[in-house]
Structures are given as C-alpha cells and as structure tokens.
Amino acid sequence: MSQLQSEMGETSALLRSFNWDAVAQVGESLKKSGRLFISGEGSSRILPGHQAQDAAWRWNSKLVVRTQGSYQSMDYNLSEDTILLGSNSGFTKETTTLLRKLLAEGHRDIWGVTSNPESPLAKESPHTYVLKAGAEKAVAASKSIAEQTLFTIASIAAAEGRDLRANALRAADAFDEIFAQEIDPEFINRLAAARILFFAGVNDGVAEELTLKTNEICSKPSAFFEGTYCYHGPEEVMTSRDVIVFVNPFKSEDANTAKIFQREVGCTVLCISSRPTSFPTIRIPSVPDFDWLLRLAAGWRLLIATGNTLGNDVDHPRRARKVGNPIV
C-alpha cells in the first residue's frame, strides 16, 4: 500500500478523535465579529474555504463567510473579520506574507492552522491550531486537508451552537466503508486511458479538490466545472477520449448529460452520488454535515486506483512539491 493511501485511510480516526473544545475560542470570536475569512493556497483553501461557505449557507447562518487566495486578500479590508489561515507546512509564502501584513495592521483575531508547530505560521499567528494529522510523507495532502476542513466547519458550528459530534462518528464509519470498497476495474481503465479528466459539481470544494489531486496522483490534465457550467460551452473542446466525473449530480440534468456528453461528445460519464443515476456510479451513503467527506473518500479511492493502474509513484510525483511556494 502506498503512503498516500495509508494517510488517506487515517482520516476517519481523526474524525473520531477530534477535540471539539479546540474550536471554542474561534466560535466566541465569530459571535463577536459575525465575519469569517479563510485564506491559504491550493488544497489548504479549496476545501476548507468553500466547504465553510457551503456549511454556513446550508445552516442559514447569519455569519458572513468568505474565502480568497492570500495575495488577492491583501487588497481587502479584513479588519473586522475573524481569520483562519491554513498551510499544512506553515511555510507557504503567500499565506505567511498575508499574516505579516495583517499583524502589521494590528489584527489579532487570526488562527494559523498547520501541521508544523515550528513554522512561521504557527509561531507568528496570535492563535494556532496544530493539526493532529501530523506530517504527511506523500506529496499530495489528504488527511491534513480533511482535518483543516473539519476545524473550519466546526468553528462555524461552535458559533451557531450546533453539535456535529454524532454525525461525525457516523461519517467516520461510512468513510471506512467507502474507502475500503473495490472500484469497478472498468471505471479505472477509463480514467487511466483518458486524455483529460473533468470534474463537475457544486462549488463546495470537493470536485475542485479532486481536480487538483488528479494532477498530483494521476499525472493527468484536469479541469473543474462549477455547478452547471459544463452545459454552457465546454462540450465544444471535449473529445471522446475524455472522462467527466459528476460529483453529486443534479437529477434534473441526467437527460441533458446523456445527450451532450454521451451522444454528442462521446466521452465517458461517471458519477459519485448517494442516489441512483443513469450512468456508471459509485454509490455512497449520506450523512448530514459530512457528505463532503464521503464524496471526497470516493474520489480519493478512484484516483488512487487510477494512479496505481498507470504505474505512477503516487507518493512522489515528478515535479509537484510538498510546499508549492515556500517562504525563504
């Protein structure tokens, strides 16, 4: 078993052992500010940031929840926000630069979320949450990103007075079942032979995160279609050699999907869904507040199997680095 697959599989244990009291101080800050801003780069922002927004909207929260990359965030007035800055390594250049700008402006409601307690992000942040996931040996971040996301949505839940613990335990069991399941070899063969892997889904971070992981694990080009974007033009450049994976597809668009992608483009359509679809589907259960994790588990399992079929070193890609843009 690869190191990456092993680290992915440890996610359920992190869910079971999560210290819910660790987010109490963030929750109190959010009650006062009413505003949450999440920044970071790559996986440290994609899933935690977008899942936080999705959770707040689903819970009909009064909190204003926003996310953006670190350099772009330097153009914004964040003086009234509670801020979460994520970086698994704690050495990400963009995120550390944003932190130092905010500190120079006198901002103190900042939490650095990192695996490395000796990093600039951990040492310089007014508050720090050190991920219990620990250091990951594989280049592609997995369990650490799941824990960053858990910390973020748990912070919102703390401010809202929501208790996620029972559903978290249910989700941990479901995660194990999904991650252990055998994937139809035909699924894997189609992904391995694909020219480009496209992912389509709601903008909650899951499909976009899988798009990034496709580059690192499968060494293949990929693209993310948010919402129904895939029905509005991309078919012009897609070919029969492509695969499109729908994550939690909209039932109302099944017929449209078949018409455009199966019959007109001629590409392979696969789905990750808790409902039956008209296409080859990895079926998963649904657990309130944690559907994102179960969809992620199915996507991880799909990509790991594809990377192995291609003969890739899924732990150490040729050019991708553990710290994409380190501060020096």
Side-chain angles (χ1 to χ4, degrees):
M1 180 186 295
S2 66
Q3 189 67 51
L4 178 59
Q5 185 171 340
S6 176
E7 289 169 352
M8 288 175 168
E10 294 168 13
T11 299
S12 58
L14 291 169
L15 205 58
R16 293 186 180 97
S17 62
F18 185 74
N19 179 11
W20 298 94
D21 293 334
V23 298
Q25 192 176 7
V26 189
E28 289 303 313
S29 176
L30 288 173
K31 289 178 185 179
K32 295 176 183 177
S33 68
R35 304 168 68 89
L36 175 62
F37 192 87
I38 304 130
S39 193
E41 299 303 316
S43 294
S44 287
R45 187 183 72 86
I46 290 172
L47 192 61
H50 290 300
Q51 190 53 221
Q53 289 183 315
D54 185 69
W57 287 325
R58 281 188 288 104
W59 295 339
N60 195 28
S61 173
K62 298 294 192 296
L63 292 174
V64 176
V65 180
R66 301 178 296 164
T67 182
Q68 190 52 266
S70 300
Y71 279 170
Q72 186 168 338
S73 301
M74 293 178 72
D75 292 334
Y76 304 152
N77 182 349
L78 302 176
S79 60
E80 298 180 4
D81 293 61
T82 298
I83 297 175
L84 300 184
L85 300 179
S87 168
N88 188 17
S89 69
F91 280 89
T92 302
K93 180 180 179 182
E94 300 93 327
T95 307
T96 305
T97 302
L98 173 61
L99 169 64
R100 290 172 177 172
K101 175 181 183 290
L102 294 171
L103 292 175
E105 293 171 348
H107 207 311
R108 291 296 177 267
D109 288 329
I110 304 170
W111 274 259
V113 184
T114 178
S115 292
N116 189 347
E118 300 304 315
S119 65
L121 183 62
K123 289 185 173 181
E124 297 178 29
S125 293
H127 311 279
T128 302
Y129 176 75
V130 178
L131 299 169
K132 304 306 182 288
E136 293 169 312
K137 295 181 181 179
V139 166
S142 56
K143 61 178 179 176
S144 63
I145 299 308
E147 189 182 356
Q148 283 186 41
T149 305
L150 178 59
F151 180 84
T152 303
I153 64 171
S155 297
I156 298 173
E160 293 290 317
R162 300 180 68 92
D163 190 344
L164 304 182
R165 287 173 290 186
N167 284 339
L169 294 178
R170 288 177 56 202
D173 291 340
F175 178 97
D176 287 338
E177 292 178 8
I178 294 167
F179 202 64
Q181 71 178 322
E182 291 298 320
I183 305 294
D184 186 339
E186 182 58 26
F187 276 33
I188 306 308
N189 291 337
R190 293 182 185 185
L191 288 171
R195 179 187 71 119
I196 300 175
L197 300 185
F198 295 98
F199 289 84
V202 295
N203 192 26
D204 67 354
V206 177
E208 188 176 0
E209 170 65 11
L210 293 174
T211 302
L212 171 57
K213 287 296 179 282
T214 296
N215 303 147
E216 296 175 326
I217 299 172
C218 302
S219 300
K220 281 186 175 287
S222 61
F224 167 55
F225 297 143
E226 175 188 343
T228 62
Y229 172 23
C230 62
Y231 305 111
H232 297 274
E235 66 270 25
E236 182 64 25
V237 298
M238 295 174 69
T239 75
S240 59
R241 295 172 54 205
D242 299 327
V243 171
I244 182 167
V245 180
F246 286 86
V247 181
N248 189 32
F250 300 109
K251 187 174 183 179
S252 62
E253 299 306 315
D254 279 4
N256 205 20
T257 297
K259 173 181 179 293
I260 293 174
F261 299 107
Q262 286 187 321
R263 294 196 292 273
E264 295 180 1
V265 175
C267 69
T268 295
V269 176
L270 303 175
C271 296
I272 295 172
S273 178
S274 56
R275 69 168 177 87
T277 77
S278 306
F279 314 98
T281 300
I282 299 176
R283 290 288 303 277
I284 58 174
S286 176
V287 176
D289 304 320
F290 291 94
D291 282 345
W292 61 273
L293 183 64
L294 307 188
R295 295 166 190 157
L296 187 67
W300 278 351
R301 191 72 184 85
L302 197 63
L303 295 181
I304 280 285
T306 302
N308 289 337
T309 296
L310 288 166
N312 294 350
D313 181 348
V314 298
D315 292 333
H316 305 104
R318 289 173 299 165
R319 290 188 289 272
R321 296 162 294 172
K322 189 63 180 174
V323 186
N325 189 16
I327 193 164
V328 293

